[in-house]
Amino acid sequence: MRLPDPRDPAGRRTLIALAAVVLAVAGIAWYGWTATAGQVRPTVTGYRVESDALVRVGYDLVRPEGTAVTCRVSGLDGSKGRVGTVEDAIPADGPAIVHRVVEVRTSARAVTGVVESCVRVAAG
């Protein structure tokens, strides 16, 4: 594949358009990287309904190293109603990626377990 001739007006337009596309892709990639750097991200790795009153939820938490985090873990029933919730406090010490398994006591049988939110805990 040959590049367009920059001496030709049509070739210049093509090169300018190509440069604009490359800059736009680089800008979007940079924005995505800076917007997500340092964020707290949970990923549910599994859940197990133990009984009508208990569900175990496993999840991985990615966080900046040295950051304390509190996650809200819940059991949901068949209509996506919350039947149990627990706050899981993860201390600041430890690795940046943490695997957790949390027991959630429920008021009715859960059909799934979820991590609803995770927030940084202010130092102090």
Side-chain angles (χ1 to χ4, degrees):
M1 179 177 143
R2 292 185 343 184
L3 289 177
D5 186 0
R7 295 172 290 187
D8 178 38
R12 271 194 298 273
R13 283 192 299 273
T14 302
L15 287 174
I16 289 171
L18 182 62
V21 168
V22 168
L23 287 174
V25 168
I28 291 169
W30 175 81
Y31 175 76
W33 181 77
T34 58
T36 59
Q39 283 190 342
V40 174
R41 292 185 316 273
T43 303
V44 174
T45 57
Y47 64 90
R48 183 173 176 172
V49 178
E50 298 287 344
S51 68
D52 288 347
L54 178 69
V55 62
R56 291 184 204 280
V57 182
Y59 69 98
D60 290 335
L61 176 68
V62 178
R63 64 184 176 159
E65 203 165 317
T67 302
V69 176
T70 299
C71 293
R72 174 178 283 179
V73 183
S74 296
L76 305 180
D77 65 13
S79 61
K80 298 183 183 177
R82 189 181 303 128
V83 292
T85 299
V86 67
E87 299 285 327
D88 185 27
I90 300 99
D93 59 337
I97 300 173
V98 181
H99 180 73
R100 306 286 286 188
V101 177
V102 179
E103 289 187 354
V104 180
R105 299 269 175 213
T106 60
S107 59
R109 188 169 189 85
V111 297
T112 190
V114 298
V115 178
E116 289 188 28
S117 65
C118 288
V119 295
R120 295 174 190 233
V121 176

